[in-house]
Amino acid sequence: MYFRQFHDTTSAAMSYLIADSSTGVAVAIDPTPDPCQGLVLKALLAERGFSLALILLTHTHGGVADDFLAHYPGAGIVVGPQGLRASVGQQVRHGEVLGFGNEVIQVIATPGHTADSLSYLWRDRLFCGDALALGGCPLQTDDEDCDPRSIYDSVVDRLFALPAETLVFPGHDAQGRTVSTIGEERSRNPFFLARSRDAFVTAFRGTRGATGVAPAWQ
């Protein structure tokens, strides 16, 4: 298997590439639609001889850009069941399984950051987008469908139910941190630790404009 993590220093956004080396079939998680930044991914695919089968988006803001089709021809775009405002994309729901080569990825619906937010579980690795920030409060948006109650339910009931050793790969780095574990976030993330749903919602709303890192007062 092949796994690669990409970090955009300008936006702190993280994206990922997974490939089944035996078949050459690959999937990309949250790749940039920007043609210039996407050159690195495309060059890597060509160098390794991988064929990009799927683009897995953890969430969308304002719909899925058709630019993905132009920049990554032949790849299918996977999005959540809500919030799709574009002419392209395969909608998937919680519990579905996606295959690529000899590998599978499980879809976990994690609405809250956006209504269509998804997380993807591959082997012992979770790709959660902006559903969960490492060591802090999940990122907020100005979208009407950003719902802290749904964020809490998604994280506590679905993500924290995964095995403690599950590796967590987020949508953005947290002051240089790019990976954690479910066990660490479950036991040490201050925005969820010993907090009720209502207490989380109050804290979440009090961090409007935060970057995903817990403030010192928590």
Side-chain angles (χ1 to χ4, degrees), residues 31-52:
T32 175
D34 181 86
C36 294
Q37 297 182 39
L39 288 176
V40 175
L41 173 57
K42 293 167 75 172
L44 182 58
L45 290 168
E47 176 187 341
R48 297 275 177 170
F50 294 149
S51 173
L52 186 62

Side-chain angles (χ1 to χ4, degrees), residues 114-149:
T114 63
D116 65 343
S117 289
L118 300 173
S119 294
Y120 300 98
L121 181 64
W122 171 66
R123 295 191 177 190
D124 64 345
R125 305 182 185 199
L126 175 75
F127 305 91
C128 61
D130 290 338
L132 175 63
L134 303 188
C137 181
L139 295 178
Q140 302 187 45
T141 76
D142 292 326
D143 295 351
E144 293 181 358
D145 59 2
C146 182
D147 179 11
R149 291 180 178 83

Side-chain angles (χ1 to χ4, degrees), residues 17-187:
L17 176 68
I18 307 169
D20 178 359
S21 299
S22 64
T23 62
V25 179
V27 299
I29 301 174
D30 287 338
T32 175
D34 181 86
C36 294
Q37 297 182 39
L39 288 176
V40 175
L41 173 57
K42 293 167 75 172
L44 182 58
L45 290 168
E47 176 187 341
R48 297 275 177 170
F50 294 149
S51 173
L52 186 62
L54 295 172
I55 294 174
L56 310 181
L57 300 183
T58 59
H59 62 285
T60 62
H61 293 291
V64 179
D66 289 342
D67 289 345
F68 274 114
L69 289 182
H71 303 323
Y72 305 102
I77 299 173
V78 175
V79 295
Q82 300 182 50
L84 179 63
R85 308 177 188 95
S87 60
V88 296
Q90 171 191 351
Q91 294 177 319
V92 294
R93 297 184 179 276
H94 178 71
E96 289 193 40
V97 175
L98 303 170
F100 67 102
N102 297 315
E103 295 291 320
V104 295
I105 289 180
Q106 180 181 344
V107 176
I108 303 175
T110 47
H113 178 70
T114 63
D116 65 343
S117 289
L118 300 173
S119 294
Y120 300 98
L121 181 64
W122 171 66
R123 295 191 177 190
D124 64 345
R125 305 182 185 199
L126 175 75
F127 305 91
C128 61
D130 290 338
L132 175 63
L134 303 188
C137 181
L139 295 178
Q140 302 187 45
T141 76
D142 292 326
D143 295 351
E144 293 181 358
D145 59 2
C146 182
D147 179 11
R149 291 180 178 83
S150 294
I151 291 176
Y152 184 89
D153 293 342
S154 292
V155 172
V156 173
D157 296 340
R158 289 185 171 169
L159 300 188
F160 283 178
L162 296 172
E165 63 271 17
T166 303
L167 297 172
V168 178
F169 292 92
H172 292 80
D173 76 338
Q175 297 181 336
R177 293 184 63 211
T178 59
V179 63
S180 182
T181 66
I182 286 295
E184 181 175 358
E185 296 303 314
R186 192 165 55 201
S187 63

